[in-house]
PDB file of all heavy atoms in Angstrom:
ATOM      1  N   THR A 196      28.320   2.120   3.139  1.00  0.00           N
ATOM      2  CA  THR A 196      27.419   1.915   4.293  1.00  0.00           C
ATOM      3  C   THR A 196      26.015   2.224   3.842  1.00  0.00           C
ATOM      4  O   THR A 196      25.736   3.281   3.218  1.00  0.00           O
ATOM      5  CB  THR A 196      27.820   2.808   5.480  1.00  0.00           C
ATOM      6  OG1 THR A 196      29.114   2.440   5.913  1.00  0.00           O
ATOM      7  CG2 THR A 196      26.841   2.599   6.635  1.00  0.00           C
ATOM      8  N   THR A 213      35.942  -6.363   7.415  1.00  0.00           N
ATOM      9  CA  THR A 213      37.207  -6.054   6.855  1.00  0.00           C
ATOM     10  C   THR A 213      38.345  -6.904   7.496  1.00  0.00           C
ATOM     11  O   THR A 213      38.340  -7.138   8.693  1.00  0.00           O
ATOM     12  CB  THR A 213      37.577  -4.551   7.090  1.00  0.00           C
ATOM     13  OG1 THR A 213      36.528  -3.755   6.535  1.00  0.00           O
ATOM     14  CG2 THR A 213      38.910  -4.192   6.411  1.00  0.00           C
ATOM     15  N   PRO A 222      55.822   2.581  20.658  1.00  0.00           N
ATOM     16  CA  PRO A 222      55.181   3.830  20.296  1.00  0.00           C
ATOM     17  C   PRO A 222      55.648   4.453  18.995  1.00  0.00           C
ATOM     18  O   PRO A 222      54.898   5.249  18.365  1.00  0.00           O
ATOM     19  CB  PRO A 222      55.471   4.756  21.492  1.00  0.00           C
ATOM     20  CG  PRO A 222      55.648   3.779  22.616  1.00  0.00           C
ATOM     21  CD  PRO A 222      56.327   2.577  22.021  1.00  0.00           C
ATOM     22  N   GLY A 274       2.210   2.641  -6.458  1.00  0.00           N
ATOM     23  CA  GLY A 274       1.593   1.366  -6.723  1.00  0.00           C
ATOM     24  C   GLY A 274       2.192   0.250  -5.933  1.00  0.00           C
ATOM     25  O   GLY A 274       3.416   0.255  -5.653  1.00  0.00           O
ATOM     26  N   LEU A 285       5.446  -8.026  -4.331  1.00  0.00           N
ATOM     27  CA  LEU A 285       5.966  -8.348  -5.607  1.00  0.00           C
ATOM     28  C   LEU A 285       6.444  -7.101  -6.332  1.00  0.00           C
ATOM     29  O   LEU A 285       7.320  -7.173  -7.210  1.00  0.00           O
ATOM     30  CB  LEU A 285       4.888  -9.057  -6.465  1.00  0.00           C
ATOM     31  CG  LEU A 285       4.303 -10.331  -5.858  1.00  0.00           C
ATOM     32  CD1 LEU A 285       3.244 -10.924  -6.778  1.00  0.00           C
ATOM     33  CD2 LEU A 285       5.415 -11.375  -5.571  1.00  0.00           C
ATOM     34  N   VAL A 306      10.482  19.973  -8.698  1.00  0.00           N
ATOM     35  CA  VAL A 306      11.185  20.164  -7.434  1.00  0.00           C
ATOM     36  C   VAL A 306      12.556  20.795  -7.704  1.00  0.00           C
ATOM     37  O   VAL A 306      13.011  21.634  -6.935  1.00  0.00           O
ATOM     38  CB  VAL A 306      11.349  18.789  -6.711  1.00  0.00           C
ATOM     39  CG1 VAL A 306      12.191  18.944  -5.471  1.00  0.00           C
ATOM     40  CG2 VAL A 306       9.991  18.234  -6.359  1.00  0.00           C
ATOM     41  N   THR A 389     -25.153  -1.212  -2.574  1.00  0.00           N
ATOM     42  CA  THR A 389     -24.536  -0.112  -1.808  1.00  0.00           C
ATOM     43  C   THR A 389     -23.007  -0.170  -1.978  1.00  0.00           C
ATOM     44  O   THR A 389     -22.339   0.876  -1.990  1.00  0.00           O
ATOM     45  CB  THR A 389     -24.898  -0.135  -0.320  1.00  0.00           C
ATOM     46  OG1 THR A 389     -24.363  -1.303   0.313  1.00  0.00           O
ATOM     47  CG2 THR A 389     -26.381  -0.076  -0.101  1.00  0.00           C
ATOM     48  N   ALA A 390     -22.469  -1.406  -2.043  1.00  0.00           N
ATOM     49  CA  ALA A 390     -21.014  -1.504  -2.277  1.00  0.00           C
ATOM     50  C   ALA A 390     -20.646  -1.114  -3.667  1.00  0.00           C
ATOM     51  O   ALA A 390     -19.677  -0.346  -3.893  1.00  0.00           O
ATOM     52  CB  ALA A 390     -20.599  -2.970  -2.006  1.00  0.00           C
ATOM     53  N   ASN A 526     -15.577  -0.449 -13.122  1.00  0.00           N
ATOM     54  CA  ASN A 526     -15.557  -1.159 -14.436  1.00  0.00           C
ATOM     55  C   ASN A 526     -14.381  -0.777 -15.319  1.00  0.00           C
ATOM     56  O   ASN A 526     -13.954  -1.534 -16.183  1.00  0.00           O
ATOM     57  CB  ASN A 526     -16.847  -0.926 -15.165  1.00  0.00           C
ATOM     58  CG  ASN A 526     -17.097   0.521 -15.502  1.00  0.00           C
ATOM     59  OD1 ASN A 526     -17.070   1.408 -14.643  1.00  0.00           O
ATOM     60  ND2 ASN A 526     -17.306   0.822 -16.778  1.00  0.00           N
ATOM     61  N   ARG A 592      -5.428  -1.495 -14.712  1.00  0.00           N
ATOM     62  CA  ARG A 592      -5.745  -2.306 -15.889  1.00  0.00           C
ATOM     63  C   ARG A 592      -4.476  -2.530 -16.749  1.00  0.00           C
ATOM     64  O   ARG A 592      -4.201  -3.649 -17.178  1.00  0.00           O
ATOM     65  CB  ARG A 592      -6.830  -1.650 -16.741  1.00  0.00           C
ATOM     66  CG  ARG A 592      -7.306  -2.552 -17.859  1.00  0.00           C
ATOM     67  CD  ARG A 592      -8.280  -1.813 -18.785  1.00  0.00           C
ATOM     68  NE  ARG A 592      -7.608  -0.733 -19.497  1.00  0.00           N
ATOM     69  CZ  ARG A 592      -7.761   0.553 -19.254  1.00  0.00           C
ATOM     70  NH1 ARG A 592      -8.566   0.950 -18.254  1.00  0.00           N
ATOM     71  NH2 ARG A 592      -7.119   1.484 -19.924  1.00  0.00           N
TER      72      ARG A 592
END
Side-chain angles (χ1 to χ4, degrees):
T196 298
T213 304
L285 304 178
V306 175
T389 65
N526 63 305
R592 189 187 65 256

